Amino acid sequence: METDVGELLHQHGWRTAFTVAERVNAWAALVSVVERGYDDDIYEYTNDLYCRNWLHEAWLLLDEHIVQLWTPRIKALDDRYRAATVDDDGQALAQFHRLPSPDLWWWRRHPCILTGDLGRSLRSAGAVGIDADLDLDLDLDLDLDLDTA
């Protein structure tokens, strides 16, 4: 059952016996923030990515019925994450965190919108994306110019 899998993963090193719903909700929250621009630091971002790792590990252990129930939601979130990120084969994140195995594809991508601490860190590691901080500055400059015209 689902609770048994959460407990088993907890015994194998996860900090708590999570449920599928908790980890899917955490993945959904991360995807939403990445879509808008994740501005916390690189270490918080890599920590947040582990919610998807938990789902990956749990899928190998869960009952087929639970897998079928949750897979459409996770696939939709995965698609949104792919759309909001750039595949750089993990080059930028690898500067800050040891990358797990290649089948954990979410570790080989970084947000398209580079903002805040995360954006600065990723840009320093060679990441390319939309600089939301610069875009905001340009918007403010344009607004100021329009106001004085």
Side-chain angles (χ1 to χ4, degrees):
M1 296 299 200
E2 182 180 343
T3 55
D4 296 336
V5 169
E7 188 55 44
L8 179 65
L9 290 174
H10 175 53
Q11 291 170 8
H12 284 74
W14 288 92
R15 67 179 163 87
T16 192
F18 295 110
T19 66
V20 173
E22 288 171 331
R23 297 295 77 195
V24 169
N25 288 339
W27 183 230
L30 177 59
V31 169
S32 292
V33 172
V34 167
E35 289 171 330
R36 291 188 314 270
Y38 189 107
D39 62 1
D40 212 335
D41 67 36
I42 186 77
Y43 305 104
E44 195 62 33
Y45 179 71
T46 57
N47 183 62
D48 288 348
L49 282 176
Y50 277 97
C51 66
R52 187 61 180 84
N53 286 41
W54 189 94
L55 290 167
H56 179 78
E57 289 183 33
W59 248 232
L60 303 173
L61 305 170
L62 285 166
D63 174 84
E64 184 64 28
H65 173 71
I66 294 171
V67 168
Q68 288 179 358
L69 181 69
W70 284 100
T71 293
R73 174 88 170 115
I74 294 169
K75 280 185 62 97
L77 290 168
D78 288 352
D79 290 346
R80 286 175 50 198
Y81 183 78
R82 282 186 184 97
T85 56
V86 174
D87 183 352
D88 73 344
D89 199 32
Q91 292 180 19
L93 282 179
Q95 303 297 313
F96 305 96
H97 192 281
R98 189 171 93 15
L99 296 183
S101 68
D103 60 324
L104 304 181
W105 56 267
W106 49 94
W107 284 94
R108 284 159 174 68
R109 306 182 70 84
H110 66 76
C112 293
I113 299 172
L114 299 175
T115 188
D117 288 341
L118 178 66
R120 284 187 288 281
S121 295
L122 291 174
R123 279 192 301 279
S124 77
V128 177
I130 300 166
D131 188 338
D133 297 329
L134 179 60
D135 290 346
L136 179 60
D137 292 342
L138 289 174
D139 290 344
L140 290 174
D141 290 344
L142 290 173
D143 289 343
L144 291 175
D145 290 343
L146 292 174
D147 290 340
T148 59

